[in-house]
Amino acid sequence: MKYMACALAGLALASAAWGQTYPNHPVRIVIPLSPGGTTDVPGRMVAQKLSETLGQQFFVENKAGAGGIIGSDFVAKAKPDGYTLLLTASPFVISPHVYKSMPYNALTDFAPVIRIATGPYVLVVHPSLGVKSVKELIALAKQQPGKIDFASSGNGGAQHLVTELFMYMAGIKLNHVPYKGSGPAQQDLMSGIIKVSFVGTPIAIPHMKAGRLNALGVSTARRSPEMPEVPTIAEAGVPGYEAVVWIGLLAPAGTPNEIVAKLNGEIAKLMRTDEVKKLLVPTGMEPDPDKPEQFGAYLKQDYDKWGKVVRESGATVQ
């Protein structure tokens, strides 16, 4: 018993020391998606600010592929010492439900650090469709079941599933046209080849102002500060509808609690500064920091939610 007590005391002292000395060499933040996307901009901003406040370099490394699985798996198998982190987004909890096999468990192979920011998707339609509200879109879709096309960046991705959730809750059927990436999907949406899609606010706002797209609703529970004139989908005709774009930081499971707490505290302080809030505006995201345990509960909730959507829609990756 005496030996065990000494051992536990030694572990506690070592753990506290890790938190005090961390970081003492560069830290890699893996983003499992392509450079330049919605996740990339906040990720590089966080890396730069942490480098300034903690006195060690935090650098971003993009490891894209397989819907984010390649980069996520790299971090899951990394040493749990706080020097390899994962900055990921909503697809993290979607991929496990649409891929037949996964090299890691999204809920148990990672230590939640912090949810960094959240934002809405925007339901947009091409003006040629002739609808200007969610209720008008639902009415038209019921008149023409399965005949109105909607675009996504690929089978089983976030754009696909937020639309599946919308269809399920609205009681309608649209025809899914998956593209290999968001770029080609947006191009056909702008030209009117495809009539409907859920997009991020950085895409929706300029095209809405130019009259190239009609924004019918935002997917979050409250209106976006960047486009306050656009109602939420819930208030526009589909009560209870909500789909959130989130960005968060994870570490490999087993990372010392003191390191997780230190990262959480530093990032939470950064996200509350006016400078960071302004830097996030072009991404359509708002700071939304939480505690590690809260982020863990949020991940589980989102994981279960999208699992249900996948099962009910039959969405798969082809």
Side-chain angles (χ1 to χ4, degrees), residues 84-200:
T84 302
L85 306 171
L86 179 71
L87 193 133
T88 190
S90 312
F92 177 78
V93 291
I94 294 174
S95 296
H97 302 293
V98 295
Y99 284 87
K100 291 182 179 179
S101 62
M102 293 286 289
Y104 57 82
N105 185 303
L107 298 181
T108 61
D109 288 345
F110 297 87
V113 177
I114 188 169
R115 184 181 60 206
I116 292 172
T118 55
Y121 297 94
V122 186
L123 174 58
V124 296
V125 298
H126 192 269
S128 63
L129 189 62
V131 301
K132 293 186 177 180
S133 70
V134 169
K135 287 183 178 179
E136 287 181 9
L137 174 61
I138 293 171
L140 185 63
K142 287 183 176 179
Q143 293 172 12
Q144 303 176 26
K147 293 184 179 179
I148 300 172
D149 294 336
F150 79 89
S152 84
S153 58
N155 278 305
Q159 280 183 303
H160 178 194
L161 292 183
V162 298
T163 315
E164 291 285 356
L165 180 62
F166 173 73
M167 290 192 294
Y168 173 75
M169 294 185 70
I172 61 173
K173 183 63 180 174
L174 304 172
N175 181 50
H176 181 211
V177 182
Y179 286 78
K180 291 182 178 180
S182 57
Q186 291 166 22
Q187 187 175 355
D188 279 3
L189 178 65
M190 300 305 165
S191 65
I193 296 173
I194 300 292
K195 306 296 186 184
V196 181
S197 188
F198 277 84
V199 300

